[in-house]
Amino acid sequence: LQAQINPHFLYNTLNNFIALIRSGYCDEAISAIKLLGSLFKYGISREDVIIPIREELEYAKVYAELIKIRFGDRVSFFWDIQESVYGFTTIKLILQPLIENSIQHGFNSDCMKGTIIIICKEDIDKIIFEIKDNGMGISPEILAKIKETLESNNNGNHIGIFNVQERLKLHYGDSYNFEIISAVNEGTKVIMKIPKTSL
């Protein structure tokens, strides 16, 4: 999964850098290139499977900043993070694939204004992550197929979601929860609950 940075995302990001340079926005291009370097640093160079939640959020925020460079005001990110979660750990690379999924499948219209809310909070014995978007949502039939795909261990066309859920299952066994809630024209919410593990 660490090597699975979407080639289309990388291609589009590099094209954005070229466009910035050609338009004379060299300082902005330099900042964007540094962001991409940070993305690789967090996502690829570190070999640890378990990382502090702070690092997972930092990686997701860098990815979100690169998305903002590409889409501008067509997409907005809001972060609702409970301070106490920073004392716990998570498996790495569980947020970015779900944010990417919201971008790819939730907002396929150039005129659509996308909003993605990332929540991380502490429960009694769990850490809860939520990724909510105001996108097109998913029909009951397609949502049923996605859930069937996740349960059957056949990733189909939903590689990002499948990888996240599969890695949660491999590491946490039956002590994690993964839920997708969606309706047409009402957006999509993915909820992950993992056991509390202190730093």
Side-chain angles (χ1 to χ4, degrees):
L1 182 64
Q2 292 182 34
Q4 191 191 307
I5 288 184
N6 189 312
H8 294 292
F9 164 74
L10 185 58
Y11 175 80
N12 289 326
T13 300
L14 293 174
N15 273 340
N16 288 337
F17 296 167
I18 293 169
L20 287 171
I21 293 167
R22 284 180 174 167
S23 300
Y25 296 103
C26 294
D27 290 342
E28 290 82 354
I30 289 170
S31 297
I33 290 168
K34 288 180 179 178
L35 284 173
L36 186 63
S38 296
L39 196 73
F40 278 95
K41 176 185 175 183
Y42 284 120
I44 295 175
S45 63
R46 180 164 178 155
E47 295 180 357
D48 300 334
V49 175
I50 303 300
I51 63 172
I53 285 177
R54 184 183 300 275
E55 288 191 20
E56 178 65 13
L57 289 166
E58 286 174 354
Y59 177 80
K61 288 179 179 179
V62 169
Y63 177 80
E65 288 185 57
L66 284 167
I67 290 295
K68 285 286 293 179
I69 290 172
R70 178 181 172 191
F71 290 101
D73 63 1
R74 286 167 49 201
V75 62
S76 300
F77 292 91
F78 296 94
W79 305 83
D80 183 3
I81 312 301
Q82 187 177 339
E83 189 71 22
S84 61
V85 303
Y86 294 130
F88 300 95
T89 64
T90 179
I91 58 173
K92 70 186 298 185
L93 288 174
I94 59 172
L95 292 177
Q96 181 272 331
L98 300 179
I99 295 171
E100 181 178 8
N101 197 71
S102 288
I103 298 291
Q104 287 184 336
H105 300 288
F107 315 113
N108 68 354
S109 170
D110 288 341
C111 63
M112 194 170 192
K113 296 279 188 177
T115 299
I116 298 175
I117 302 171
I118 298 93
I119 298 170
C120 185
K121 58 189 177 182
E122 182 182 359
D123 198 4
I124 296 172
D125 60 348
K126 293 278 197 302
I127 297 296
I128 302 172
F129 295 95
E130 294 183 16
I131 297 89
K132 302 192 293 186
D133 67 59
N134 67 333
M136 299 178 299
I138 307 171
S139 70
E141 296 79 14
I142 293 177
L143 185 58
K145 288 181 180 179
I146 293 172
K147 291 180 178 180
E148 181 182 350
T149 294
L150 292 172
E151 292 171 3
S152 67
N153 291 333
N154 176 14
N155 62 38
N157 295 320
H158 305 279
I159 296 172
I161 290 177
F162 175 83
N163 275 338
V164 170
Q165 193 224 224
E166 187 67 12
R167 291 166 61 243
L168 289 170
K169 183 191 302 182
L170 286 170
H171 187 77
Y172 297 114
D174 294 330
S175 59
Y176 82 98
N177 300 96
F178 186 89
E179 185 179 8
I180 303 171
I181 302 170
S182 187
V184 174
N185 297 322
E186 294 184 13
T188 299
K189 176 165 65 174
V190 177
I191 303 171
M192 297 179 289
K193 298 180 182 180
I194 63 173
K196 283 182 179 178
T197 307
S198 299
L199 287 171

